[in-house]
Amino acid sequence: MKNGRRIISVVMKSSNDRTRHTDSAALLDYGFALLEYQSPYDDVAYHWCREDVAGLKELGVELHAQEDAFRPDDPVTRAEFTAMLYTALEQKEALPQAPEGLEEPDFTDTADSWAADYIHQAAALGLVNGADANSFAPDRPITRQEIMTILDRCLDLPDENGLGFADDGDIAFWALEAAARTTAAGLFQGGNGNALMPLATSTRAEAAAVLSRVVELL
């Protein structure tokens, strides 16, 4: 176990315990070194989200990393998730058409945001809405049920019900249908105690995992 990542070595036909132990140590050293080499960012080398993050980066998704740090356990903001989603759909040539008659919101709080272009392009396609009539709140952490609603809006998901979690009653009324479809599609799963945790803030690692599943659907 190293930094939360577990590797198991298997040595077969070893002649004695000493050889088996030295061969196992060599295999483990090789395995951890390979993980570090293949990791897109230093802080996800041994993180469970490493493959999701690597796949998104290779696809060309905007991950808003800071030098060699992805910050997997930090809350993902509304701006970060919007940028990740928009660029993932763009790279997969899956951006939807703008709904007829949709007026692009005039957000008053995005001008200085690094993700201003992504936010306005996503809003123009109806992918995201503002936090209220005139603001987007780009730096506010985004909840799991907000992500469910956004994904349900931009994906053609089957009208199926994947609910049945211990905390279904915590899902906001406006997010119920989205939660039902996104869980049925396997985009979201329950955690400890079969809880969906719709009101919980999503981490950057969780956002990467969800978007990796979205990419697989496209």
Side-chain angles (χ1 to χ4, degrees):
M1 177 76 76
K2 184 175 181 180
N3 294 334
R5 188 65 182 260
R6 182 187 302 274
I7 293 180
I8 298 174
S9 70
V10 178
V11 178
M12 304 179 71
K13 295 186 178 181
S14 180
S15 58
N16 56 61
D17 287 347
R18 180 177 180 180
T19 300
R20 181 164 54 252
H21 292 162
T22 56
D23 287 349
S24 289
L27 282 171
L28 294 173
D29 288 341
Y30 170 79
F32 283 119
L34 187 64
L35 286 176
E36 289 180 342
Y37 174 74
Q38 293 180 338
S39 175
Y41 301 105
D42 292 347
D43 58 352
V44 298
Y46 308 112
H47 200 281
W48 62 263
C49 74
R50 181 183 69 88
E51 293 183 3
D52 294 320
V53 173
L56 293 177
K57 184 178 182 182
E58 184 177 358
L59 182 61
V61 173
E62 171 57 70
L63 297 176
H64 195 222
Q66 296 178 353
E67 296 181 354
D68 290 329
F70 177 72
R71 298 164 287 125
D73 299 317
D74 284 358
V76 63
T77 66
R78 287 167 54 83
E80 289 173 330
F81 185 77
T82 299
M84 292 168 71
L85 174 64
Y86 183 88
T87 52
L89 295 176
E90 184 179 41
Q91 292 300 321
K92 295 294 290 185
E93 299 182 350
L95 287 171
Q97 296 293 320
E100 290 187 17
L102 177 67
E103 294 185 8
E104 183 179 348
D106 185 19
F107 299 132
T108 60
D109 58 351
T110 57
D112 296 329
S113 173
W114 64 271
D117 288 342
Y118 297 124
I119 293 169
H120 287 280
Q121 291 178 77
L125 296 178
L127 297 180
V128 295
N129 294 327
D132 55 43
N134 298 311
S135 66
F136 185 77
D139 298 325
R140 194 188 81 190
I142 194 168
T143 64
R144 286 165 62 87
Q145 68 180 4
E146 286 178 306
I147 294 177
M148 294 173 195
T149 304
I150 292 172
L151 296 182
D152 186 52
R153 190 181 298 134
C154 68
L155 299 173
D156 186 18
L157 297 176
D159 191 14
E160 300 176 356
N161 188 353
L163 297 180
F165 299 95
D167 56 352
D168 282 354
D170 293 341
I171 304 171
F173 179 76
W174 50 265
L176 267 174
E177 292 186 4
R181 284 190 282 264
T182 52
T183 52
L187 299 180
F188 278 86
Q189 301 166 351
N192 293 335
N194 192 34
L196 185 60
M197 299 175 293
L199 305 180
T201 297
S202 183
T203 65
R204 288 171 50 82
E206 290 171 334
V210 169
L211 286 176
S212 291
R213 298 173 195 140
V214 169
V215 167
E216 292 178 358
L217 290 178
L218 298 176

